[in-house]
Amino acid sequence: MEISVRGLWTLIHGMGFGALYLLGCSGLLVELFRGEAAAPVPGRFLRIYLLGMVVVAWFAVLSGTYVVYPWYRAALPKGATDLTQYPQRLLLASPATAGWHSLGMEWKEHVAWFVPIAMTMVAFVAMRYGSGLRAHSRLRAAVLGFAVVSFGAAGVAGFFGAMIDKVAPVQGGGTIMLSGGGER
Amino acid sequence: MSVEPKDGLTNGSAAAAVLAAGVGCLALAVLAFAGDKSAAIKVGLNFYKPTGPLSGVTTLALVVWVVVWVILEVRWRSKTVAAGRVAGIGLGLLGLGLLLTFPPVVDLF
């Protein structure tokens, strides 16, 4: 059982930071919606939770943009015919898969950045105002709106990331042996 | 848009954060759109070659977001502002940003 270094980074980016954000955000949305009746009080746990979500959101986009994406969009050397190390080229080589790049990646790479911007704002306001946000219903609704959009944007990014990686996986860069189990 | 606070925690700080986040999201979408439509802008946004124009789009958008946030925070933190209007504008900018990042919409222009 083995995994490539690039595959591992893709895993850390998507299944690590991305999936963790989606899980965390779903919990936060429940808490924020529940706040219609009783606004969240930013106790120690909620503060750590919010800060954790901000950190995860930033790590997700930074690892995606500056670690995984350069491998995805790597330029094809002259004369190369094997496209497996060049996912973007591989997708664009066939009309049946080009949409995964022209719609999926083109949307994902930009909309994903809304996630940390929105969540940083949500965390800042929630930590600053706490239960006092109840007194500012319109701003509270806006904060909730941004939180919902951040969840949706992370979902779009996660969906297209997973699908693109199924069709044209980012691979190469050495191999990490996870276990040496034989055939059974 | 702003008036002096009467008592307690004013809404200025939250309003500043909401509006700045909207501006940041729209800035990102506008920069991405501009890079898609202009070859010269696309080249100019190529801050980090392995990542390409996305590096410039995101870096500049973050700068816009943080600068706007700091300016609004300084100006509004001790004031009560028109919350409904600010919230509406913030969400409107976010919605416009979402539209401008959606490739089929970008391709209309």
Side-chain angles (χ1 to χ4, degrees), chain A residues 58 65-67 69-71 73 102-104 106-107 109-111 113-114 116-118 120-121 124-125 128-129 132-133 136 138-139 141-143 145-146 149 153, chain B residues 9-15 17-18 21-22 25 28 32 48-52 54-55 58-59 62 65 69 73 83-84 87 90-91 94 97-98 101-104:
Chain A
W58 282 108
T65 302
Y66 291 101
V67 180
Y69 186 60
W71 293 326
R73 69 184 294 275
S102 58
L103 173 64
E106 292 283 348
W107 192 16
E109 71 187 36
H110 295 122
V111 81
W113 277 84
F114 284 21
I117 292 175
T120 302
M121 180 276 283
F124 170 82
V125 174
R128 177 120 192 212
Y129 286 79
L133 196 56
H136 308 285
R138 286 172 177 168
L139 287 169
V143 168
F146 271 85
V149 168
Chain B
L9 189 58
T10 66
N11 66 12
S13 202
V18 167
C25 290
L28 194 145
Y48 176 63
K49 202 174 174 186
T51 296
L54 182 60
S55 58
T58 55
T59 302
L62 293 184
W65 169 49
W69 193 356
E73 172 69 16
L91 287 172
L94 176 66
L98 281 172
T101 57
F102 189 52

Side-chain angles (χ1 to χ4, degrees), chain A residues 34-120:
Chain A
R34 204 170 62 88
E36 290 294 338
V41 179
R44 189 161 178 263
F45 175 78
L46 187 57
R47 281 175 182 272
I48 292 170
Y49 192 98
L50 286 164
L51 285 175
M53 288 196 60
V54 171
V55 169
V56 166
W58 282 108
F59 278 170
V61 293
L62 289 172
S63 63
T65 302
Y66 291 101
V67 180
V68 179
Y69 186 60
W71 293 326
Y72 169 82
R73 69 184 294 275
L76 192 66
K78 273 188 179 173
T81 52
D82 180 7
L83 303 182
T84 53
Q85 301 282 317
Y86 308 93
Q88 185 189 48
R89 297 293 114 196
L90 184 60
L91 292 176
L92 293 174
S94 165
T97 56
W100 288 117
H101 172 77
S102 58
L103 173 64
M105 182 55 80
E106 292 283 348
W107 192 16
K108 162 189 164 66
E109 71 187 36
H110 295 122
V111 81
W113 277 84
F114 284 21
V115 176
I117 292 175
M119 188 43 60
T120 302

Side-chain angles (χ1 to χ4, degrees), chain B residues 44-106:
Chain B
L45 289 169
N46 201 349
F47 289 8
Y48 176 63
K49 202 174 174 186
T51 296
L54 182 60
S55 58
V57 168
T58 55
T59 302
L60 289 179
L62 293 184
V63 169
V64 169
W65 169 49
V66 171
V67 167
V68 169
W69 193 356
V70 169
I71 290 171
L72 290 176
E73 172 69 16
V74 168
R75 289 175 65 92
W76 288 358
R77 69 182 157 200
S78 59
K79 295 180 177 175
T80 297
V81 302
R85 197 167 148 195
V86 171
I89 293 171
L91 287 172
L93 296 176
L94 176 66
L96 204 54
L98 281 172
L99 269 179
L100 277 181
T101 57
F102 189 52
V105 172
V106 176

